[in-house]
Amino acid sequence: MQPDKADRSSLPPSSNELRVDTEALKDNWRMLDRMSGDAGAGAAVKADCYGLGVSICVPTLVEAGCRNFFVANWDEAEELSHYVAPEQIAVLQGPVTPQEADFAKASGILPVINSIHQAKLWTKAGGGTCHLMIDTGINRLGIAPSDISDPAIAALDIDVAMSHLASADEDGPMNARQLALYRECLGSVRHKRESLANSAGIALGMDYAFDLTRPGLALYGGIARPELEGRIKQVAYIKACVLQTRSLKAGDAVGYNGEFVASEPMRVGTISIGYADGFLRARGPGEAFMFEGKRLPLLGKVSMDMVVVDLAHAPEVKEGDWLDVPFDLLNAARQSSVSQYELLTVLGRRLRHWS
Ligand SMILES: *Cc1c(COP(=O)(O)O)cnc(C)c1O
């Protein structure tokens, strides 16, 4: 049997925690909205707001002024519809099956049409306002420029005609190429609004902003391009509890496969966070947790539920104390070679304690 809410409220506080700084999230949205100039910023809230939780992030974004929300699929759209009006939700995958087209029509949630097949499904389901994705070079989702004059597309009632940048985080020729092709395509299809830029695209400047921008990563504290450094604030903060402290002798080995071996006597702490919480094994090497500003290096492999740290710089640490888990996304991505997107979206449900 599932314990009900009343039972859960009698549980002791948990031993690790993700805190979402809602003021920083609001500030990031406002900053990206400002950087979008005359265009308004929307928000990509797919993957449960990149791992930080729809129930806390979406009401916060609404409070900041956000009115356009992008999710990947219909499950996510349904969850989002508890927080915002259906016409504010765009489903990036679009209707792949007749059932999805019928669901969109019945719910009022707007599909992004990605192909002639999807356009026909939508029209058959009754049609009405939708969005259109034009593939200008990412070769993933979206209608090919050569198909844009197809009668099935011409029959659509399109609000936002959008495209998606493949390499906006880089300075290659690709961005300008996609921008030019996007502009060309816009002339061939009836639509109300235009949208091209993700987080990194916003940093490319006003040419890329059009009517509506679609930041995701930067809302949640990711630094998609150097221009965003100093403007975007950290949103996710993680803490974990010291479960046990112990003394090692020279020659004692720590964790699975004994990867760290003490060369002299030392005091260590076992901390309640592991890769099942999204603190990946790749985060181990060279990383350190913090206690009141003191660095506590990780020792050995990250386990599923625990890591071990060196307490040399904080001998006062005792069982039940809390340590800060470093989660500055730019630094964490550099340290681990895992992308900022992945570091966020793998954060475990075990870290969330507000719902
Ligand atoms: C995920 C996504 C975004 C947001 O991208 P970020 O790089 O996270 O800002 C915008 N548009 C589309 C189509 C997406 O799939």
Side-chain angles (χ1 to χ4, degrees), residues 44 46 50 70 92 133 140 162-164 197-200 214-218 224 341:
K46 58 202 183 189
Y50 289 44
F70 297 86
L92 292 163
M133 175 65 81
R140 200 177 65 169
M162 66 184 91
S163 187
H164 191 50
N198 60 350
S199 301
R214 309 187 306 269
L217 183 71
Y341 294 88

Side-chain angles (χ1 to χ4, degrees), residues 24-44:
L25 177 58
K26 275 189 231 174
D27 286 346
N28 287 348
W29 184 83
R30 290 191 196 108
M31 170 60 74
L32 292 158
D33 188 57
R34 218 161 30 244
M35 288 178 71
S36 302
D38 291 339

Side-chain angles (χ1 to χ4, degrees), residues 230-247:
R231 294 181 169 181
I232 291 300
K233 297 179 178 171
Q234 182 170 341
V235 172
Y237 290 86
I238 300 171
K239 292 197 312 184
C241 192
V242 180
L243 299 173
Q244 193 173 0
T245 62
R246 67 200 315 118
S247 299

Side-chain angles (χ1 to χ4, degrees), residues 147-160:
D147 284 339
I148 205 152
S149 303
D150 191 281
I153 303 298
L156 297 173
D157 179 5
I158 298 165
D159 177 2
V160 181

Side-chain angles (χ1 to χ4, degrees), residues 14-18 239-241 272-274 277 322 350-351 353:
S14 112
S15 59
N16 58 29
E17 178 185 87
L18 166 67
K239 292 197 312 184
C241 192
S272 175
I273 190 167
D277 303 296
W322 286 79
R350 284 203 303 203
L351 286 172
H353 305 296

